Amino acid sequence: MLHTLEAIRIYKSGESQERLHQMPQWLQWLAAAEKPRINLERIHSIAELQETNAVLDYTERTLQVLDGLQLSFWIRELLEEVLVWSETAKGGSSDQRRTWQHQGINLFVHNIGSAQLFNMYMDERSGTKSPRHEVISNLIATHGLIGQYIRGEIPFAENAPLRSLITDGFVTCSELRTMLMALNECIIAGVDPGLWNQVQGEVQRIVEWIVEGTEYKDWSMKERLSRLRSSSIRQGELIDESYAKLEQQFAVEKQLAPLASRTLWYVESAMKDFSLEEMVKVFLLTLHSEEWNNEKVDSNHAAIPSSVTDIRHISFEPLMNTMVYDYKGVKKLNIYKKRMIEKYLEQYSWEQIIAGKRIPYPHLEHRIERYPDLPDTLFVTFEFSPAAESLIAFCVEAEKSPLYEQAVLMLFDLFGLRRDAYDRFHNEETYLSDMNSSGDYKKVLLDFMVGTRVLDIGPGGGVLLDLIEQEKPEVEAIGIDISSNVIEALERKKHRESHRWQVMKGDALQLNQYMEPGTVDTVIFSSILHELYSYIEYDGRRFNTDTVAAALQSAFQVLSPGGRILIRDGIMSEPESQQRRIRFLEPDGIRWLERYKADFKGREITFDRISDHEVIMPINDAMEFLYTYTWGEEAYVHEIQEQFGVFTPRDYEKCIREALGEQADITLLRHFLQKGYTEALAERIVFMDETGEPVSLPDSTCLIVIEKKGRLNE
């Protein structure tokens, strides 16, 4: 075992905690890290960082990889020292870090800062620089740069100092080749062994460029952007199409040319969830900022060098840190901040950014900062007002409570956004997963489709679009949704899985803005009308049956003669005066009902308590409650915002006839109990009639087919 691994083992065992000062200096600094600066990209939970020392753990993993490599003794020993020092700029206590910063140590470009710390330590010990010292310092200063070049984060020239080790006679070509391959295996496999297997060949090619002094050509801007967005591309982003769209709007290569010679730190981690267009806008806002172009004075009236040539690094670490938070032990993108930043960027045209214009926006601005002690580095982030930060924090906390909707709507009001653009934010992934699990329920709709152009309103996770594509390959399937989250997820899914269907962001009540009248053969509302009814403010209020009528009219307008509207959604029972008794078999059942009565937004829920475990209530109130009770605590905060049963069968028919008139025929109106409810509730309640006799649950779901009179052109 390497002696450094043994030192880490002893420290972690607690055997030497009380005499940490006797441990190697690098270990003291790594162990003292209070808030280590790390790339959050591969961290599963931010909370884990409070319980572990991620930087020390990573250093240990790199050493374990080194311990398993077949190397000569002197190269192994040299690389061992490189690895233990290469993360030290991420360590140290708060006091130590302040001291280092005053001493000019670059803590934000950690490979350079770590090399500076190593040199400072060695100078204090010996005062002279040996050839071995020079090699180690050089390898620390270029630590990880080959991987960063592959990722598009740095220009190739940053690796130039490595070649000098040969030209200055410190090592031979063969020795440097061996060192660099081994060192990069430790660095990359320490993150993920599988990742090393993927990039080993490319690393070897780049090492040859360095060792042989081969002519190289730096990435074009398009290639560099592609590498910076590798994770987005894996998720389905079409980089060629996105880049071509940008080129139609402005000279991308020319405008982004100043980035060619600069390093871009943490850029993928900070902006992988934004679109290419949004990322490029952030780059341009940086390049055309006052901090980039003009002399600035800090709060202490100290001049910051104004020469653009002084800027070597652009760090997106502040933005990366602000864009994530922990949700139930899992690292989550701060979707609230992302949506607000998207709206902020949307207001800028390319011409306005290039002209250096700054547009005021309520409670949010971009911040490009440059500090006197780090004149070669720019720091990029977005700054929210204290009110916005507090409200966003409130939204995060409210995710677990019925206050969530009020919190999100307050956030929309603060930024002046449309309320009917309400997204499920953090719960979108769960929502889309639930939608995708409902494929069997949706498949029946395929039997009633007509024509060759089908519009799916509110496509959710895309399961119905997939089914149409699989079962009806001749059909052009289009999904439309108001939620940016849904559209983004579906676009990624489409390109990742090579689907033919299309999606677009749009309003279900204004379909004629996206489709020519009479051009759609089938419009499908699959479990979406009750959401439009529940969430959209129509004529100033939610839970308005006129919303359903408006959605049907919107669909009917784009429907071709002979075309169909298909509805699959919740239904209420007739007669509505029926009463049902519920006996709860769980001790907290009554508490659930009382909580539901207080929180439900759709209408007033009534019940009479018969005993500690039994109530009697109107049949439709009982079922509306049981829909939420079935889904459980995780879905509660969202389910209480929605009324699943909007109409009785008779009221549905009345609404359709009044909204669509004589040109519409209802060719099918049937209702049934959706599978799963009986099984889910069997051990939780006893469902009874007014006399106390157990009865079946009433129908929950309807299937309606509406046909537009005329002949379909097929």
Side-chain angles (χ1 to χ4, degrees):
M1 178 186 287
L2 299 175
H3 73 276
T4 51
L5 281 173
E6 178 63 15
I8 293 173
R9 186 200 65 77
I10 293 172
Y11 165 72
K12 286 189 169 183
S13 70
E15 298 174 26
S16 62
Q17 294 279 1
E18 70 284 352
R19 48 190 177 89
L20 180 60
H21 64 281
Q22 298 176 7
M23 302 296 285
Q25 183 63 74
W26 59 268
L27 182 53
Q28 292 183 45
W29 286 342
L30 292 181
E34 295 170 6
K35 291 185 178 179
R37 314 190 82 83
I38 61 167
N39 191 324
L40 297 176
E41 185 177 348
R42 295 182 180 275
I43 299 300
H44 178 261
S45 169
I46 300 172
E48 294 172 3
L49 301 180
Q50 300 172 359
E51 303 170 4
T52 62
N53 187 323
V55 176
L56 181 58
D57 290 346
Y58 170 69
T59 301
E60 183 179 24
R61 292 197 301 273
T62 64
L63 291 168
Q64 288 168 344
V65 176
L66 177 64
D67 199 33
L69 299 180
Q70 298 297 315
L71 299 168
S72 65
F73 175 79
W74 80 272
I75 289 182
R76 181 190 304 277
E77 187 180 54
L78 186 144
L79 295 185
E80 182 179 11
E81 193 153 8
V82 171
L83 290 172
V84 297
W85 281 94
S86 289
E87 303 292 326
T88 49
K90 296 179 181 179
S93 66
S94 296
D95 288 341
Q96 284 172 323
R97 294 182 68 81
R98 280 192 290 270
T99 299
W100 289 343
Q101 205 158 348
H102 289 315
Q103 292 172 327
I105 305 297
N106 193 331
L107 301 178
F108 297 92
V109 182
H110 76 269
N111 56 317
I112 294 175
S114 296
Q116 291 172 324
L117 288 173
F118 172 75
N119 291 333
M120 181 178 70
Y121 173 72
M122 295 302 295
D123 289 346
E124 290 174 355
R125 290 190 62 186
S126 62
T128 60
K129 290 186 178 179
S130 66
R132 184 175 184 276
H133 177 168
E134 292 284 359
V135 173
I136 292 173
S137 176
N138 192 308
L139 291 175
I140 296 172
T142 55
H143 175 268
L145 294 189
I146 289 177
Q148 287 174 278
Y149 174 67
I150 291 173
R151 287 165 60 100
E153 295 171 334
I154 68 165
F156 183 79
E158 292 290 319
N159 288 292
L162 291 168
R163 174 68 185 168
S164 68
L165 293 177
I166 296 173
T167 57
D168 292 344
F170 289 119
V171 296
T172 67
C173 290
S174 177
E175 289 168 340
L176 183 60
R177 182 181 293 109
T178 300
M179 288 179 188
L180 292 181
M181 287 303 297
L183 184 59
N184 278 277
E185 181 171 356
C186 295
I187 294 167
I188 297 172
V191 173
D192 179 358
L195 182 61
W196 170 248
N197 294 332
Q198 293 173 27
V199 302
Q200 182 178 356
E202 193 164 8
V203 170
Q204 189 168 11
R205 184 167 64 254
I206 295 168
V207 167
E208 287 303 315
W209 294 351
I210 295 169
V211 171
E212 300 297 334
T214 308
E215 286 289 329
Y216 66 90
K217 184 178 180 181
D218 250 321
W219 309 128
S220 66
M221 185 50 61
K222 179 182 177 183
E223 178 64 24
R224 193 170 181 189
L225 289 172
S226 298
R227 289 174 177 269
L228 287 170
R229 298 192 63 77
S230 59
S231 60
S232 302
I233 292 170
R234 286 195 298 272
Q235 290 300 311
E237 181 177 74
L238 285 181
I239 191 69
D240 291 338
E241 290 183 11
S242 299
Y243 190 83
K245 182 180 177 183
L246 291 182
E247 284 188 309
Q248 294 172 2
Q249 300 175 69
F250 72 101
V252 183
E253 292 279 345
K254 177 182 176 181
Q255 289 296 330
L256 296 183
L259 295 180
S261 59
R262 272 81 185 192
T263 67
L264 303 173
W265 289 85
Y266 301 106
V267 63
E268 185 174 16
S269 298
M271 290 195 286
K272 63 183 175 65
D273 293 295
F274 291 95
S275 69
L276 175 65
E277 178 177 324
E278 289 159 350
M279 175 188 277
V280 171
K281 280 191 173 182
V282 174
F283 287 161
L284 288 178
L285 286 171
T286 302
L287 295 176
H288 292 278
S289 66
E290 292 180 354
E291 290 75 11
W292 178 274
N293 293 291
N294 301 321
E295 181 170 277
K296 298 288 288 180
V297 175
D298 73 357
S299 57
N300 296 317
H301 306 289
I304 299 175
S306 61
S307 172
V308 173
T309 58
D310 291 339
I311 299 172
R312 181 181 173 188
H313 311 289
I314 304 176
S315 173
F316 295 85
E317 183 182 10
L319 178 58
M320 174 189 74
N321 290 335
T322 196
M323 290 306 298
V324 291
Y325 68 99
D326 262 359
Y327 176 71
K328 297 186 177 180
V330 177
K331 182 189 71 177
K332 282 285 186 180
L333 169 70
N334 194 318
I335 194 68
Y336 313 102
K337 289 187 175 181
K338 178 176 182 279
R339 288 287 173 241
M340 302 314 145
I341 292 171
E342 286 172 344
K343 290 294 182 182
Y344 178 86
L345 294 173
E346 192 177 285
Q347 71 177 335
Y348 278 99
S349 68
W350 299 110
E351 293 76 16
Q352 288 171 323
I353 297 176
I354 292 169
K357 184 174 182 180
R358 196 172 190 115
I359 303 175
Y361 191 80
H363 300 284
L364 176 60
E365 64 176 349
H366 63 276
R367 291 290 301 273
I368 316 297
E369 298 181 317
R370 196 175 180 190
Y371 305 118
D373 52 354
L374 287 172
D376 66 347
T377 306
L378 286 184
F379 297 90
V380 182
T381 191
F382 287 85
E383 184 172 82
F384 291 80
S385 71
E389 286 283 4
S390 297
L391 189 48
I392 289 169
F394 179 49
C395 286
V396 171
E397 287 303 311
E399 287 171 359
K400 314 174 187 77
S401 78
L403 292 172
Y404 180 63
E405 186 206 24
Q406 292 95 313
V408 171
L409 292 179
M410 287 171 63
L411 188 66
F412 271 54
D413 287 344
L414 187 70
F415 285 92
L417 303 179
R418 287 178 53 187
R419 286 186 170 208
D420 61 359
Y422 170 74
D423 285 333
R424 295 168 184 264
F425 288 108
H426 78 280
N427 198 51
E428 198 71 61
E429 295 168 12
T430 304
Y431 167 69
L432 295 178
S433 175
D434 290 342
M435 293 301 98
N436 282 340
S437 68
S438 62
D440 290 343
Y441 306 153
K442 293 175 181 286
K443 194 170 184 179
V444 66
L445 293 167
L446 272 61
D447 296 335
F448 299 96
M449 285 172 25
V450 293
T452 58
R453 198 173 195 220
V454 175
L455 189 60
D456 181 15
I457 310 296
V463 62
L464 184 55
L465 294 173
D466 286 348
L467 286 171
I468 295 171
E469 183 173 286
Q470 293 164 15
E471 304 292 328
K472 306 276 188 178
E474 73 283 2
V475 168
E476 177 191 1
I478 305 166
I480 187 168
D481 203 293
I482 193 70
S483 167
S484 298
N485 288 1
V486 169
I487 296 302
E488 287 175 7
L490 287 173
E491 287 284 8
R492 291 194 297 269
K493 170 183 168 68
K494 174 187 174 180
H495 299 306
R496 186 173 63 246
E497 300 174 5
S498 300
H499 290 292
R500 299 187 307 277
W501 42 254
Q502 303 292 322
V503 290
M504 63 176 68
K505 187 175 187 295
D507 186 347
L509 305 190
Q510 303 289 336
L511 293 177
N512 61 354
Q513 293 185 8
Y514 322 102
M515 305 284 171
E516 289 292 329
T519 61
V520 180
D521 299 323
T522 302
V523 179
I524 300 175
F525 293 96
S526 180
S527 199
I528 196 67
L529 281 177
H530 80 273
E531 291 203 358
L532 300 178
Y533 168 78
S534 300
Y535 285 112
I536 290 181
E537 288 192 3
Y538 192 82
D539 289 339
R541 62 188 177 94
R542 292 168 51 194
F543 303 102
N544 185 346
T545 56
D546 289 344
T547 308
V548 178
L552 293 175
Q553 290 166 349
S554 173
F556 204 68
Q557 186 175 2
V558 300
L559 202 65
S560 59
R564 289 178 172 178
I565 296 174
L566 309 183
I567 300 171
R568 179 191 170 278
D569 218 310
I571 197 80
M572 292 201 292
S573 294
E574 294 174 326
E576 296 180 70
S577 59
Q578 296 176 84
Q579 299 284 306
R580 287 293 180 265
R581 290 167 65 164
I582 299 176
R583 180 182 304 140
F584 291 99
L585 304 179
E586 297 175 324
D588 64 345
I590 291 285
R591 180 188 63 80
W592 254 87
L593 178 57
E594 290 172 341
R595 177 185 173 194
Y596 180 81
K597 173 182 169 61
D599 294 338
F600 182 59
K601 305 300 181 184
R603 63 172 185 269
E604 183 181 0
I605 298 295
T606 62
F607 66 87
D608 291 321
R609 190 164 176 166
I610 297 174
S611 70
D612 289 344
H613 302 289
E614 193 169 320
V615 297
I616 187 168
M617 57 196 304
I619 187 170
N620 290 316
D621 285 1
M623 287 305 296
E624 199 64 51
F625 161 69
L626 290 176
Y627 299 139
T628 297
Y629 192 57
T630 301
W631 284 102
E633 188 69 43
E634 180 69 21
Y636 180 84
V637 66
H638 300 288
E639 292 298 320
I640 58 168
Q641 313 298 333
E642 302 177 8
Q643 181 172 314
F644 184 57
V646 177
F647 292 120
T648 64
R650 188 177 305 166
D651 288 338
Y652 239 129
E653 183 174 357
K654 180 181 178 184
C655 175
I656 293 167
R657 296 202 183 284
E658 290 180 353
L660 305 184
E662 296 298 324
Q663 287 299 306
D665 284 334
I666 301 174
T667 62
L668 177 71
L669 198 167
R670 74 183 188 207
H671 40 90
F672 51 92
L673 177 63
Q674 185 66 59
K675 291 181 180 178
Y677 283 119
T678 300
E679 294 79 6
L681 293 169
E683 297 182 3
R684 303 181 69 191
I685 65 162
V686 177
F687 195 73
M688 301 169 285
D689 64 17
E690 297 176 59
T691 67
E693 286 296 316
V695 292
S696 299
L697 295 172
D699 290 347
S700 62
T701 309
C702 66
L703 178 60
I704 305 174
V705 178
I706 306 166
E707 193 166 293
K708 190 172 187 176
K709 289 182 178 179
R711 186 175 180 84
L712 187 70
N713 295 319
E714 298 189 70

